[in-house]
Amino acid sequence: MRAMADDVVARCVAHIESLPQQPACGDVDAAALCRAMREAAPEQGATLDSLLDPLFRDWIPRSFTAPGPGYLAFIPGGGLYPAALADLITNTVNRYTGVWMAAPALVQLEANALDWLRAWMDFPADARGLFTSGGSMATFNGILCARERHLGADIRPGVLYTSDQAHHSVLKSAKLAGIMPDRVRAIESDDRFRIRLDRLREAIAADRRSGLRPFAVVSNAGTVNTGAVDPLDDIADLCAAEQLWHHMDGAYGAFFYLAPELRQTLRGLPRADSLTLDPHKGLFLPYGTGALLVRDGAALRAAHEATAAYLPSMPHPQDFYDPSQHGPELSRGFPGLRVWLSVKLYGAAAFRAAIAEKRALAVDAFQRVARLPGIVVDAEPELSLFAFHLTAPGWSLAQEDAATRALMQRTTARGRVMVTGSHTHGRYLGRVCVLSFRTHEPQIDALVEDFAAVIAELR
Ligand SMILES: *Cc1c(COP(=O)(O)O)cnc(C)c1O
């Protein structure tokens, strides 16, 4: 066992050490490779080395270098190494954490970690939460709570509202929760990509007039397209007045609530009925850790409570947390340990400082990119993401789109940073998102230098 682990750890550490030298985006043009990789289950085993060799040498590098310092694409996170060790422990000791009584002290660690998220987000003491595999699943469970609370069994007339900037997982989650696409309204956003409240009010009134039942609004605490933060406080007011459930998608943005200077931008966040967080983004954990907070903890429990004849029926005191009574899974991994171990190891102050640093780096990057020739800013960084396009005298929209796309691609091809764009409000926008704990000033310098060089070629 030790020899196997030593081999794996040595390769993992070497891999992490090599991240700054790896191209920001590996060669993912790999369809032929993948076809060649298809094989039947082997009859006979093989040595660990013979399996790890191609894994680390050939397959891992053929990917976006998502844990690397230069990853400024999509929404980064990084992947803290101790969280991987937590997973090793979890999988080695293999205890059952689906029900409280099977591993009470371990489940308490998970409950603690959830309660830290609750306290950081200024949610009330009786709020409850759930670790999920990601933000999408958290949103799914949030919408499910809203549906149960407001519609009961009469699902079909229920209408859900979000903005045209919502992450596609909102529509998908709604559908999985039984709210079909014809009952989801993508409300127009304003020129800062925030939901238009006047249009939202109109849509709710129109649906009520036609006999439908508005039941939920999903707001954005940081969109994936441009980083826009909806007027969260105003939406909370509207939801209170209209008796709607307010779910907030904070998969990208919620952890910026830890930065005092962004409290104003995110004001109203603690008023959400439910909140999606993604610790694998803003808490820098490896992929596979999302979280949901529900203000009325009883609603989360009511939506998921279930029992069976063979399960331990011994009721435990209500102040203990039972994961399987708060989420759809029974048997599961132990997601709480990666969060618990990482936060205990580094302390909350380190996470707050890292979040503040990402914000500062993004502001710096924004100010320097905005000064480059031909850059037109479309969205300033409200949190740590900004969006822009490239122009030159006489260029058409199609030329601007093509040039902006080329700017993202050629900058990424230079290997030091990876950047991606998005189609928003009728044009292609370049975007930069700073959220990896490994990203620091040298990567921002590289970004600005490479942008400047590529812009000179393109113009
Ligand atoms: C990442 C993201 C999601 C989806 O979360 P997953 O963890 O990828 O499932 C949803 N909304 C926003 C704003 C995001 O950034």
Side-chain angles (χ1 to χ4, degrees), residues 94 97 198 414:
N94 197 31
T97 61
D198 54 337
R414 293 170 82 97

Side-chain angles (χ1 to χ4, degrees), residues 252-320:
Y252 158 53
F255 284 107
F256 285 96
Y257 192 71
L258 295 174
E261 61 158 316
L262 293 172
R263 286 270 156 131
Q264 182 62 16
T265 304
L266 291 166
R267 76 184 178 284
L269 178 141
R271 295 178 65 196
D273 290 304
S274 50
L275 173 67
T276 290
L277 301 102
D278 240 349
H280 62 210
K281 292 172 178 167
L283 217 51
F284 318 115
L285 296 187
Y287 292 116
T289 317
L292 172 71
L293 291 177
V294 180
R295 157 175 307 281
D296 175 5
L300 181 63
R301 193 178 168 111
H304 295 98
E305 224 161 11
T307 192
Y310 68 92
L311 286 177
S313 63
M314 192 185 81
H316 58 68
Q318 277 297 315
D319 59 328
F320 290 120

Side-chain angles (χ1 to χ4, degrees), residues 40-63:
E43 247 341 271
Q44 308 297 330
T47 63
L48 184 60
D49 255 349
S50 70
L51 305 175
L52 296 179
D53 280 345
L55 183 63
F56 278 85
R57 187 191 56 226
D58 304 331
W59 303 331
I60 291 173
R62 303 289 292 260
S63 52

Side-chain angles (χ1 to χ4, degrees), residues 416-437:
R416 298 200 291 178
V417 296
M418 178 171 173
V419 281
T420 49
S422 100
H423 243 291
T424 305
H425 283 190
R427 69 156 64 240
Y428 182 89
L429 298 182
R431 56 194 284 297
V432 168
C433 182
V434 186
L435 196 57
S436 169
F437 71 95

Side-chain angles (χ1 to χ4, degrees), residues 217-264:
V217 176
V218 178
S219 65
N220 295 292
T223 63
V224 72
N225 286 333
T226 66
V229 177
D230 283 334
L232 306 175
D233 216 22
D234 296 337
I235 294 172
D237 286 341
L238 183 149
C239 287
E242 296 273 351
Q243 306 249 303
L244 306 175
W245 183 283
H246 181 191
H247 178 82
M248 198 178 288
D249 182 359
Y252 158 53
F255 284 107
F256 285 96
Y257 192 71
L258 295 174
E261 61 158 316
L262 293 172
R263 286 270 156 131
Q264 182 62 16

Side-chain angles (χ1 to χ4, degrees), residues 30 35 64 72 187 189 232 253 270 288 368 371 410 434 438:
R35 275 192 204 99
F64 301 167
L72 307 173
I187 305 295
S189 50
L232 306 175
R368 294 163 67 187
R371 285 198 295 268
R410 291 198 206 173
V434 186
R438 293 194 176 97

